[in-house]
Amino acid sequence: MNKEMHSKTSLFLMELIIAILFFSISGAICVQLFVQSHSLSEASVEMNNSILWTQNISEVFYGKYGSLKEISDFFLDSSIVLVSYENNPEVGTLVMFFDEDFELISYPAGNGALDNAKYELLLCISELPSSEVYSDTSADTSRMKGNALLGEIAILKMEDSTIIDQIPKDNDSRVISDRYVDFYIGTMEDSTDEA
């Protein structure tokens, strides 16, 4: 009887060890899934906020007719113009900084406020011939004379508090979202002039 009881106890212990092993593996998988879901959630919030801000800057760009000076005046306490050409106030680069909650950081930032910057927004505006800006459209641009303002907006993750003054090349891991905006500043040929 003692032998039979010993074998039943051994069998019970084996089953218990297998059950504990199974639950340990299951627990490890669940923890890993929770960690991945948390990081996906953070990435989703980051992407949503960056898309929202690129859309906001796009609307201001169109509302201010592409004028870099007027856009920087709109965000007076939160933006700096890194590059601007005195003979053309529409052309240059505007920079803004955000904290981890995508709240704008005032600039000039005293008391080390820029140390809390986690994201950087760049708006780079250049003036180009309208034929170049609209060359990829299917619209008839033959009557467009003059230039257009082309802006590129990008939201970047800041690494080591480095301020970037140019939008990085494609496939740069720091870029969260970007988009192009344009504003035609030339003149349209009057169709009655052709007659």
Side-chain angles (χ1 to χ4, degrees):
M1 187 75 97
N2 199 5
K3 234 180 184 183
E4 189 178 313
M5 191 146 188
H6 181 64
S7 74
K8 283 184 180 182
T9 305
S10 296
L11 187 60
F12 175 73
L13 287 176
M14 264 317 228
E15 289 176 359
L16 188 60
I17 290 172
I18 291 172
I20 291 172
L21 181 63
F22 173 75
F23 285 118
S24 297
I25 292 171
S26 299
I29 290 171
C30 288
V31 167
Q32 196 173 27
L33 289 174
F34 282 122
V35 168
Q36 286 177 347
S37 99
H38 181 70
S39 64
L40 282 174
S41 174
E42 284 180 350
S44 175
V45 167
E46 190 176 72
M47 179 61 78
N48 287 339
N49 281 317
S50 68
I51 289 172
L52 178 69
W53 271 103
T54 55
Q55 181 65 33
N56 288 344
I57 298 300
S58 298
E59 296 297 330
V60 174
F61 177 88
Y62 291 121
K64 300 297 182 181
Y65 308 107
S67 171
L68 183 65
K69 182 181 179 339
E70 289 187 32
I71 295 168
S72 67
D73 288 347
F74 188 82
F75 294 102
L76 189 60
D77 295 332
S78 305
S79 65
I80 53 172
V81 176
L82 284 183
V83 180
S84 183
Y85 303 102
E86 291 179 23
N87 61 346
N88 192 348
E90 284 86 20
V91 174
T93 301
L94 178 100
V95 181
M96 296 192 303
F97 300 98
F98 301 95
D99 64 14
E100 63 186 13
D101 297 322
F102 272 89
E103 296 293 327
L104 275 172
I105 295 175
S106 295
Y107 195 88
N111 301 327
L114 274 185
D115 293 340
N116 297 327
K118 300 293 181 206
Y119 306 99
E120 178 180 0
L121 180 141
L122 287 172
L123 168 62
C124 298
I125 301 175
S126 54
E127 185 174 339
L128 300 167
S130 58
S131 59
E132 187 177 326
V133 173
Y134 302 110
S135 65
D136 61 343
T137 65
S138 61
D140 178 18
T141 58
S142 62
R143 297 183 323 148
M144 296 175 108
K145 302 297 180 201
N147 294 334
L149 296 172
L150 178 66
E152 185 176 3
I153 305 165
I155 305 275
L156 312 165
K157 289 181 191 179
M158 291 184 66
E159 298 172 350
D160 303 326
S161 300
T162 302
I163 296 173
I164 301 168
D165 62 350
Q166 295 180 7
I167 294 177
K169 302 282 186 211
D170 291 339
N171 301 325
D172 190 304
S173 63
R174 295 174 293 186
V175 178
I176 302 170
S177 69
D178 64 344
R179 75 181 298 165
Y180 287 94
V181 288
D182 59 76
F183 187 79
Y184 180 65
I185 57 174
T187 58
M188 294 287 281
E189 282 185 353
D190 189 359
S191 58
T192 58
D193 290 344
E194 296 173 4

